[in-house]
Amino acid sequence: AHELGLDHHMVGVAGQEVTTFVYGHFNAFPLLMDPELPNLGAIWPHDKNPHELFEAIRAQGPGDEIIQVNHPRGPSLSSYFSFVGLESESSEVVDEENWSLNWDVIEVFNGGCGSNQALQDWIGFTNNGIPKTLGSGSDTHAESDPPGLPRNWIRIDEETVRENNGSLVPVVRARSLFVSCGPFVRFEAVGDDGETLAHL
């Protein structure tokens, strides 16, 4: 982006899709890039169980990180909730030894929008008093896969993120984020007396 002169259009945040090939994929950001370390300091997941992996992500840099459970339903080697046998309504799991809640976001929508089991998981967590952020990802792997659909909209000032990528963490964790597969619409409702009733 810098070489193309597009800095004013986007903000780069260092992160990693941590792929275990055993119990799931996880996004982590912001991370600390260190050119002196192998893979620029990326997390090595293959010798860690889920508890150890999440702790290693949290300890990767001096700041705090967001951990997202990517595509949590599907083949168990790539889908954490399927791996541990999560029951959507109760939020209970079969494999308690490998179950951890030390993460922040569920990628409910992956490559599109629509009702799915991950959405039921998120509703179950919410109903059971386990507040996790609902997120999405376009999961773009090729030129034929359009990026940005679905996308996350996060309520934060762009300059704040430019100055400190870590400013995303409390906002995302507080669930000041929504997902869209369509246009972003702003509107307000005005009463008969001209007073603004709602502004979204």
Side-chain angles (χ1 to χ4, degrees):
H2 178 71
E3 290 176 359
L4 294 173
L6 299 175
D7 303 69
H8 58 291
H9 289 297
M10 62 183 69
V11 181
V13 178
Q16 177 187 354
E17 181 170 25
V18 184
T19 302
T20 70
F21 293 113
V22 177
Y23 53 85
H25 298 183
F26 309 92
N27 271 6
F29 68 90
L31 297 180
L32 182 67
M33 292 181 64
D34 187 341
E36 301 300 318
L37 295 176
N39 294 327
L40 302 178
I43 304 298
W44 183 257
H46 308 296
D47 59 347
K48 300 174 181 66
N49 63 39
H51 299 276
E52 294 168 335
L53 179 64
F54 299 149
E55 286 297 332
I57 292 171
R58 300 283 187 211
Q60 194 268 356
D64 200 358
E65 294 83 17
I66 289 293
I67 300 174
Q68 173 178 289
V69 180
N70 289 353
H71 38 75
R73 292 295 186 171
S76 61
L77 61 85
S78 62
S79 306
Y80 187 46
F81 294 175
S82 295
F83 177 82
V84 296
L86 176 70
E87 201 285 316
S88 297
E89 189 171 344
S90 68
S91 300
E92 296 178 348
V93 299
V94 175
D95 185 355
E96 294 184 2
E97 183 178 348
N98 284 300
W99 178 234
S100 171
L101 286 168
N102 189 14
W103 45 268
D104 310 287
V105 181
I106 305 171
E107 186 186 47
V108 171
F109 303 109
N110 178 283
C113 291
S115 183
N116 57 56
Q117 192 173 357
L119 178 59
Q120 300 309 310
D121 295 331
W122 179 79
I123 292 170
F125 282 124
T126 302
N127 289 342
N128 292 314
I130 306 170
K132 298 294 184 180
T133 302
L134 182 152
S136 71
S138 57
D139 209 358
T140 299
H141 287 259
E143 291 181 6
S144 58
D145 299 330
L149 185 68
R151 69 182 66 185
N152 296 323
W153 295 91
I154 303 172
R155 187 179 292 276
I156 190 170
D157 180 71
E158 181 180 315
E159 286 307 313
T160 301
V161 180
R162 284 187 191 280
E163 293 171 9
N164 176 16
N165 290 171
S167 62
L168 285 167
V169 174
V171 179
V172 172
R173 194 169 285 150
R175 307 201 291 180
S176 293
L177 175 160
F178 71 91
V179 174
S180 175
C181 269
F184 185 102
V185 179
R186 295 181 184 271
F187 69 91
E188 65 180 18
V190 180
D192 293 337
D193 59 359
E195 183 179 353
T196 299
L197 303 177
H199 181 83
L200 300 172

